[in-house]
Amino acid sequence: MIKFAICDDEPLMARELADHLADYMKEKSITGYSVNSFSSGRTLLESSGSFDVIFLDIQMEPPDGMETAKLLRQQGDHSLLVFVTVLKELVFDAFQVEAYDYLLKPINSAHFRRTMDRVLRALEQGTAKDIVIQRGTGCEVVLLSELVYCEVLGRKIYLHKQDGTVSDYYDKLEDLERRVDGRFFKCHRSYLVNLDYVRGCQDGQVMLSQGERIPASRLRERELTQALLRYMKGRNF
């Protein structure tokens, strides 16, 4: 069952989105889905439901769509957010809340179908696919599947990737930990490691697939082994 939410303070726009969604799901012969509509960011935030995908209007009465998205992320919500807006320039702020895509009003049917194609692929593959980090005035999309481990030094986080490159930006490891998915484990107060790349743990060190080693807290070694076994079992299920 795929759970959708539509949050728009314009009833006609909410209805149009629901119609586009119904047409798309019918075209794909998908019947296992539900749609909940909300007329404001506040009612969405106060709802007890969890959603796979949220279509979120940016321009609404406070809290507007961007603020609503920030509050959702602070609550630990990992829904795929698709912003709906009349102003394309507002979309650049979407990187801050890890928006999945955006739709411009009036809704273009072809663009909607392309967005939904990507949404369904992401849902099939499961969990988060990437994170967006801000570097100065720009930003960078980092695929979680290519992220081997994360290291904090001072006020900066260094993202070590599969291809050997490293991206750095200012953040706290605790905040990054909330943004990644279950494949990442905090093996040390200064390190998050992707379990896909872990090949063992011994003598206070995590052995990685490419031959690198990173530190593991003595207190966390056993937890790391258990987390790795659980992760492998779940992945092979």
Side-chain angles (χ1 to χ4, degrees), residues 34-116:
S34 64
V35 183
N36 288 74
S37 291
F38 300 90
S39 59
S40 68
R42 191 171 305 281
T43 55
L44 173 61
L45 290 165
E46 292 174 350
S47 70
S48 58
S50 60
F51 303 98
D52 299 298
V53 186
I54 300 176
F55 293 96
L56 187 57
D57 184 23
I58 292 182
Q59 293 177 291
M60 296 188 292
E61 292 297 318
D64 64 13
M66 202 61 67
E67 182 62 24
T68 298
K70 291 177 183 177
L71 292 170
L72 284 169
R73 293 307 192 215
Q74 288 173 14
Q75 294 173 4
D77 188 286
H78 296 292
S79 304
L80 297 180
L81 296 180
V82 179
F83 280 116
V84 184
T85 180
V86 293
L87 299 174
K88 189 173 184 178
E89 55 267 27
L90 291 177
V91 172
F92 293 107
D93 295 332
F95 287 114
Q96 300 176 22
V97 290
E98 301 169 48
Y100 190 74
D101 205 345
Y102 68 92
L103 295 167
L104 289 176
K105 296 180 181 180
I107 303 299
N108 177 278
S109 296
H111 189 181
F112 184 87
R113 285 196 298 273
R114 286 196 298 271
T115 294
M116 282 301 302

Side-chain angles (χ1 to χ4, degrees), residues 16 46 65 67 78 82 175 228-229 232:
E16 182 181 342
E46 292 174 350
E67 182 62 24
H78 296 292
V82 179
D175 293 335
L228 185 59
L229 290 172
M232 292 176 65

Side-chain angles (χ1 to χ4, degrees), residues 21-227:
L21 184 57
D23 290 343
Y24 178 88
M25 300 301 266
K26 182 178 180 180
E27 179 183 315
K28 298 293 182 179
S29 300
I30 300 173
T31 57
Y33 73 98
S34 64
V35 183
N36 288 74
S37 291
F38 300 90
S39 59
S40 68
R42 191 171 305 281
T43 55
L44 173 61
L45 290 165
E46 292 174 350
S47 70
S48 58
S50 60
F51 303 98
D52 299 298
V53 186
I54 300 176
F55 293 96
L56 187 57
D57 184 23
I58 292 182
Q59 293 177 291
M60 296 188 292
E61 292 297 318
D64 64 13
M66 202 61 67
E67 182 62 24
T68 298
K70 291 177 183 177
L71 292 170
L72 284 169
R73 293 307 192 215
Q74 288 173 14
Q75 294 173 4
D77 188 286
H78 296 292
S79 304
L80 297 180
L81 296 180
V82 179
F83 280 116
V84 184
T85 180
V86 293
L87 299 174
K88 189 173 184 178
E89 55 267 27
L90 291 177
V91 172
F92 293 107
D93 295 332
F95 287 114
Q96 300 176 22
V97 290
E98 301 169 48
Y100 190 74
D101 205 345
Y102 68 92
L103 295 167
L104 289 176
K105 296 180 181 180
I107 303 299
N108 177 278
S109 296
H111 189 181
F112 184 87
R113 285 196 298 273
R114 286 196 298 271
T115 294
M116 282 301 302
D117 287 343
R118 294 179 62 240
V119 162
L120 289 186
R121 283 197 299 270
L123 291 177
E124 287 172 0
Q125 292 165 351
T127 66
K129 293 294 293 175
D130 54 47
I131 57 172
V132 179
I133 61 173
Q134 285 193 294
R135 306 180 68 191
T137 57
C139 59
E140 179 185 348
V141 178
V142 180
L143 295 176
L144 294 184
S145 60
E146 297 178 0
L147 183 53
V148 181
Y149 68 94
C150 317
E151 174 187 17
V152 62
L153 289 172
R155 295 173 52 231
K156 272 191 173 183
I157 288 180
Y158 294 81
L159 305 179
H160 297 258
K161 290 171 279 189
Q162 185 183 24
D163 61 4
T165 61
V166 180
S167 296
D168 62 272
Y169 71 109
Y170 290 97
D171 200 1
K172 296 178 180 178
L173 193 64
E174 291 76 13
D175 293 335
L176 175 62
E177 191 175 5
R178 286 193 288 267
R179 298 172 61 193
V180 297
D181 58 26
R183 82 189 88 176
F184 287 85
F185 182 84
K186 190 174 184 179
C187 59
H188 184 278
R189 66 182 180 181
S190 300
Y191 288 84
L192 277 176
V193 65
N194 186 338
L195 295 175
D196 281 330
Y197 294 96
V198 174
R199 295 298 176 264
C201 183
Q202 187 176 7
D203 299 327
Q205 291 189 316
V206 180
M207 294 165 279
L208 303 176
S209 58
Q210 295 174 307
E212 287 186 89
R213 295 182 178 225
I214 60 174
S217 164
R218 294 289 185 183
L219 297 174
R220 306 228 70 190
E221 273 193 71
R222 184 173 180 179
E223 291 180 39
L224 172 59
T225 301
Q226 293 173 341

